[in-house]
Amino acid sequence: RRQKKTASHAVTELEKTKHCSQAGKPLFCPSHPTEELRLFCEQCDQPVCRDCVVDSHRQHPYDFTGNVIHRHGDALRELLKSTQQHVGTLEDVLSQIDDMGSAVRSRAEAVATEISLFASGYVKVIEEHRDRLLKQLEDLKVQKENLLHLQKAQLQQLLQDMRTGVEFTEHLLTSGSDLEILITKGVVASQLAKLNSIAYNTHPSVDDGIQFSPQERAGQCCGYEVFGAILNKVVDPARCTLHGEDVHSARQNQLTSFTLLCNDTMGEQMRRGGEAVWVTITHKDKRNCAVKPTVCDNSDGTYHISYSPEEPGLYAVCVYVKGQHVQGSPFTLMVKNKFREHQGVFHCCTFCSSGGQKAARCACGGTMPGGYQGCGHGHKGHPGCPHWSCCGQVKESSECLGGPPNDTLQRSLLRTVVL
């Protein structure tokens, strides 16, 4: 009541208006307080009074509220129905969201339990794998120490025997008489020769080749895949072997290869590469004649060695691993001459391949009666099967073994080839 804009308004306590309804009471125009809102302006889409129609809503289409309420009420009811459907859908979605939130929390708790069980099991497996690796390392260390101790004891005994033999022989030669020397010479020489013939390793029987590879697959333990392994295999050049059909023979200007298989001290194949492999191929008769081989590491303990010799003859091949000869190295390689193609024809007989010419000859040496100088079916010298006219070989896919023919024979063979 102290505000200008609301000083003339009727003010009532809220408690008195709680049960009162405004339905049925007339509504007055805000612009014309004495006029009741009974009309509806279609253009402005709002209720108006008579003065509004004359004043600000002049020439606007209008009608009584009772005439337009059904149309506008129906439109509102349609919108209400559509909105109510959205309200139901939203309520369902919100209910699903709440249910999904509960499901997510329950599932997260279950997965967290699974993760904890998995992690604890994995930790236990890793600890077991660690203990197993440490035990394996300890066993390997003891094994190597025992081998070194045994080798040391054997070499110490051999050294003591040799020192005794040397001291006795030196004393005999410096202090013994001629007769004493001659009498004991045989026994002393036999003992010294026996000592000299004893073979012994000039290197420690084992090395410190113990490595740990974290990336190495170590199989599965209790359903978990574990990694990390001790690599104690050491390549033994004396146990490495060479394989292939062309180890000892090759052909001039033809690519040839063989395989080096690297084994450890126990004779088992190395399952990894990276070894220092060196191969030399040198001619035995010609100086400065060598073949440069190619060594390909297959990363599985095998090495593919390929080469192409340019000169025929005997070659010395040396294959080294870590600077030591492998088993069978060095060995001799025989390089044959370049493959000789057949200059003749592969025929059943000269009579057929030459069209019955009497002068046609064959390297099989067969002849026919009636002045024919070549072979014929069932006649003297015929191999009894198809053969090459240039060298007489009966295998079609073979190398020509015939030497350079004389002029007369060459002309006959060439004529046969042409025919």
Side-chain angles (χ1 to χ4, degrees):
R1 291 177 178 176
R2 287 180 291 189
Q3 300 294 331
K4 284 186 177 182
K5 291 184 178 182
T6 58
S8 59
H9 291 186
V11 180
T12 308
E13 292 183 1
L14 290 176
E15 292 295 332
K16 296 180 180 180
T17 62
K18 183 179 297 184
H19 302 290
C20 297
S21 173
Q22 297 294 327
K25 292 184 179 181
L27 296 178
F28 295 93
C29 178
S31 301
H32 308 94
T34 60
E35 293 294 329
E36 193 174 342
L37 295 173
R38 295 182 177 180
L39 303 175
F40 186 79
C41 178
E42 296 286 353
Q43 181 174 341
C44 298
D45 194 30
Q46 67 180 28
V48 293
C49 65
R50 289 180 302 175
D51 292 348
C52 292
V53 172
V54 177
D55 187 10
S56 58
H57 293 269
R58 185 182 302 171
Q59 296 182 351
H60 288 187
Y62 66 92
D63 200 349
F64 285 100
T65 56
N67 296 334
V68 299
I69 187 61
H70 67 279
R71 180 160 48 86
H72 291 278
D74 292 342
L76 278 176
R77 277 186 283 272
E78 290 296 326
L79 288 175
L80 175 62
K81 187 184 298 184
S82 176
T83 305
Q84 286 175 340
Q85 292 178 354
H86 286 292
V87 169
T89 303
L90 289 173
E91 289 176 347
D92 293 340
V93 172
L94 288 173
S95 177
Q96 294 178 13
I97 290 176
D98 291 337
D99 295 341
M100 185 57 66
S102 300
V104 167
R105 287 189 293 273
S106 300
R107 186 57 188 160
E109 292 175 359
V111 172
T113 303
E114 293 179 5
I115 292 174
S116 299
L117 292 175
F118 171 81
S120 60
Y122 210 168
V123 169
K124 183 178 179 181
V125 167
I126 292 176
E127 290 177 347
E128 292 179 359
H129 184 53
R130 175 202 61 194
D131 297 339
R132 190 164 51 249
L133 288 175
L134 292 176
K135 178 65 168 56
Q136 182 181 352
L137 178 62
E138 181 65 22
D139 294 343
L140 181 60
K141 183 194 74 170
V142 172
Q143 178 186 0
K144 287 179 176 288
E145 288 178 342
N146 290 339
L147 291 174
L148 290 173
H149 180 71
L150 177 61
Q151 183 186 15
K152 182 178 179 181
Q154 292 174 345
L155 292 179
Q156 285 177 341
Q157 183 63 46
L158 180 60
L159 177 60
Q160 182 179 352
D161 295 342
M162 286 189 173
R163 282 177 174 171
T164 301
V166 168
E167 293 174 358
F168 180 82
T169 306
E170 288 178 346
H171 180 71
L172 175 65
L173 293 175
T174 55
S175 303
S177 63
D178 296 342
L179 185 58
E180 290 174 340
I181 294 175
L182 293 176
I183 291 175
T184 57
K185 174 184 72 68
V187 177
V188 174
S190 175
Q191 185 65 22
L192 292 179
K194 183 179 179 181
L195 291 173
N196 291 331
S197 65
I198 297 177
Y200 56 91
N201 194 352
T202 58
H203 302 281
S205 57
V206 297
D207 56 17
D208 59 348
I210 304 176
Q211 297 178 349
F212 175 68
S213 175
Q215 297 82 16
E216 193 82 12
R217 292 180 179 271
Q220 287 193 347
C221 181
C222 300
Y224 297 91
E225 187 173 6
V226 292
F227 294 83
I230 296 177
L231 305 179
N232 60 332
K233 283 190 173 184
V234 179
V235 65
D236 185 358
R239 293 181 179 269
C240 299
T241 55
L242 302 172
H243 301 271
E245 298 180 357
D246 302 325
V247 175
H248 298 283
S249 63
R251 184 75 66 171
Q252 181 184 8
N253 294 328
Q254 181 176 334
L255 185 64
T256 310
S257 63
F258 59 90
T259 301
L260 168 65
L261 175 60
C262 288
N263 298 320
D264 61 5
T265 54
M266 303 300 294
E268 297 180 358
Q269 180 180 344
M270 302 287 294
R271 297 298 178 181
R272 64 179 188 274
E275 302 296 344
V277 178
W278 180 36
V279 181
T280 61
I281 306 176
T282 55
H283 203 289
K284 285 191 172 185
D285 300 326
K286 297 182 180 180
R287 291 185 176 180
N288 300 325
C289 181
V291 180
K292 186 177 181 181
T294 301
V295 180
C296 179
D297 188 349
N298 298 325
S299 300
D300 60 355
T302 63
Y303 298 80
H304 184 263
I305 302 167
S306 58
Y307 61 96
S308 180
E310 297 181 356
E311 295 289 337
L314 290 176
Y315 286 79
V317 182
C318 298
V319 182
Y320 303 93
V321 173
K322 290 186 176 180
Q324 301 181 40
H325 284 284
V326 301
Q327 189 179 131
S329 175
F331 61 91
T332 301
L333 170 68
M334 178 62 188
V335 178
K336 301 178 182 178
N337 288 316
K338 189 177 180 181
F339 188 86
R340 297 178 59 183
E341 301 287 345
H342 289 282
Q343 301 299 319
V345 293
F346 192 70
H347 61 185
C348 62
C349 68
T350 307
F351 181 83
C352 295
S353 62
S354 66
Q357 296 190 22
K358 291 186 176 182
R361 297 188 179 184
C362 182
C364 73
T367 58
M368 292 183 293
Y372 288 93
Q373 304 200 20
C375 58
H377 292 296
H379 292 286
K380 181 181 179 181
H382 187 270
C385 59
H387 56 282
W388 285 99
S389 63
C390 50
C391 62
Q393 283 211 90
V394 296
K395 188 176 181 181
E396 185 174 6
S397 58
S398 60
E399 180 184 7
C400 184
L401 301 179
N406 55 49
D407 294 340
T408 304
L409 180 58
Q410 187 170 7
R411 284 196 298 269
S412 300
L413 292 175
L414 290 175
R415 182 164 62 253
T416 303
V417 172
V418 171
L419 290 173

